[in-house]
Amino acid sequence: MKSLPIAAGILLLCMGCAESISQQGTTTETAAAAGTVTAPDTAQSVDPQMDRFVGDLLAKMTLDEKIGQLNLVAVGFDVTGPVVSQNVDENIRKGNVGGVFNTFTPIAARKLQELAVTGTRLQIPLLFGYDVIHGHRTIFPIPLGLSATWDMGLIEKSARIAAEEASADGLNWVFSPMVDIARDPRWGRIAEGAGEDTWYGSQVARAMVRGYQGEDLTKENTVMACVKHFALYGAAEAGRDYNTVDMSLLRMYQEFLPPYKAAIDAGAASVMTAFNEINGVPASANRWLLTELLREKWGFDGLVVTDYTAINELVPHGLGTEAEVGALALKAGADMDMVGEVFLKHLAQAVKSGAVSEAEIDQACRRVLEAKYKLGLFQDPYRYVDEQRAKETIMKQEYIEAARDIARESMVLLKNEKQTLPLKRSGTIALIGPLATSQRDMIGNWSGAGDWKLAVSVEQGIKQVAGNSVKVIYAKGANITDDKQMIERLNAHGGELQIDTRSSEQMIAEAVKVARGADVIVAVVGESQGMTGEAASRADITLPGQQQELLKALKKTGKPLVLVLMNGRPLALKWEDENADAILETWFGGTQAGNAIADMLFGVYNPSGKLTATFPVEVGQVPIYYSYKNTGRPFGGEQLDKYKSRYLDVPNEPLYPFGYGLSYTTFSYSQPQLSQHTMLPSETLEVSVEVRNTGNYDGEEVVQLYIQDLVGTVTRPVKELKNFQNISLKKGERKTVTFPITIDDLKFYNRDLEYVYEPGDFKVYIGTNSRDVQEAAFTLRENQ
Ligand code: BGC
């Protein structure tokens, strides 16, 4: 049982003021009596009890106490656990803190919560946030990999498990999901999202929010989600992190904003601002974005927190002094200031000078308090600090098994010539490459609470799955990179890169020798986990260091060459695609990655993942995505026709398109059949296709449906994903897959930013990826 310093979570006794507040709604004082509270934002608040409760509380608060609630502080860690700095303790006691992040474990969180609840005048509990990005303690594949499962049930499950663990570990707020659409693989944070597609990204956004928040945020095993980074962070120019974004409203509405909106419609209770500017105004000071669009148009009634020191960064953005930008951010609609303490330092003075009104501070404070109310923290501030629950929940067997399963589902088979895979459980495997024995890289970037020492490496996984039936001989062959500066930078941030000081020639020679003595080469190559994620943009997206040289030398041995790739972004893999016999994309697969990879290699599991971000041939093609526009001079392969939209030196087509992924078996698709060739807006049209398993294994396939609107008042993409279905087919089996098409699948934003349909001709494409499709056509007519 939890020991509660306050009676059963109902009454918070206000020390020194003899007033009491209950989350159930009975109060001894009204907000009006205190005279300082603005009218509650009833238009947005749906819970009158919460309005009353928060209104009453606000009425009791001094200006300083209100400003204190807007302050979110980070509490650091050392290697043995949480370190609570004196400064934070003192600030909490002074009522200068609304929430903390980077503190977890029930003991550490309880300690801080006690300071807030017993040490401050109004006993307002703290929020406890953390970057729970792809699992909390049990780590799942990085989000880009998770999205490659094309399985909303599994994606939701990963978020649910993360919420179970995080909420048992002292946390009530996760800074996830990141729903930024990303089409430039140079941007390191492409690893943290669901890839390039608007419709698909919106499905993932909803699934994640459902997983974190469940049906009832007050439950002890649910946490508040935080949709980030609002907005357009993934569209940074040149793929360089934090860089400028300049984009038409039409494009924003059509392609970049829907996933944020989807997450909010799914009930996400908080939103994080982005670092970037949007059309000249940084997101964290952008009133159009944070108030007019988010609150007034979309009706968001939750909490807006800035990104890390994003208010301070408005100074170098060029918006004014620290005091000035603090006022700007608050007035724009930012409620909580992450780490920068600009609100804390400057808002009281800003009220005095008239730069901001107390009503504006009340509004921000109300949202912080409402978030706490929604989490049930006023009922029981210790709801998330139950040591027993932590012991029973964290990394339990069921979660470890889920991690293995989800990792398998996330892997994408990019190539498999001559059925090189699956491997036989006999003979000798040359296991080569800098990532073959790595445990640290398995859990990827942004896995702060994950213990990489518990992660399974590829070498360990192969041994566990194949046992003594195969002989494994290992050689490193190359370092991930030989760039000393990069190694230093990565290791300064937990990279754990083990650098072999032998020359590249020596390492390659050793690997070739090992390969010669084997039946097959499994080369585990790619990026180190720290090469993607925040502040990890790369201009060269080929395999780093000497890894390609290593592969070239291995290729010369004539042995079958299997690549196991680990990376957090699409890479440019032209040579690898032309020369390897098989390529398995495994991302950074999480706690169970090594076991999952071995399951795939030996055919315990048949790959079914599909890419959610296009892999280019060359970095010069980026940004590259399947849902491009035709242009007035589309290139159709006419080699001698110069004046077409094309490159002289590289193809327009990617290496691996969106939606791509092979299986150990093969599938054939019939021509799609439409239930009717004309459709009224009120009608549902059906399109069916027969899919047959034509190969030698049972398998799973993601059947994808794309639509093209041939004529519009604004130009429309050549294809847009609108639906998909996962099917399992036994060897030789066939199934008819039917998709409904409704008017919602045909809508888009017009020039006036209205979400409309326009009668006319459409094409529907069905296939195994966005490139290899079969088509049918229909006409949308207006209702009579
Ligand atoms: C990142 C956010 C993250 C925050 C808190 C920032 O640097 O952009 O995604 O949630 O830090 O750690």
Side-chain angles (χ1 to χ4, degrees), residues 307 370 574 754:
D307 204 341
E370 284 181 353
K574 188 165 183 285
E754 296 154 344

Side-chain angles (χ1 to χ4, degrees), residues 441 480-481 487 490-491 494-499 528-529 531:
D441 291 290
I480 293 179
T481 171
I487 293 164
L490 294 175
N491 280 344
E496 307 286 341
L497 260 80
Q498 307 294 328
I499 299 304
S528 174
Q529 51 77 31
M531 289 179 176

Side-chain angles (χ1 to χ4, degrees), residues 568-585:
R569 57 160 57 81
L571 295 175
L573 298 166
K574 188 165 183 285
W575 184 91
E576 291 76 5
D577 180 66
E578 282 166 3
N579 290 283
D581 296 290
I583 307 179
L584 182 67
E585 173 59 76

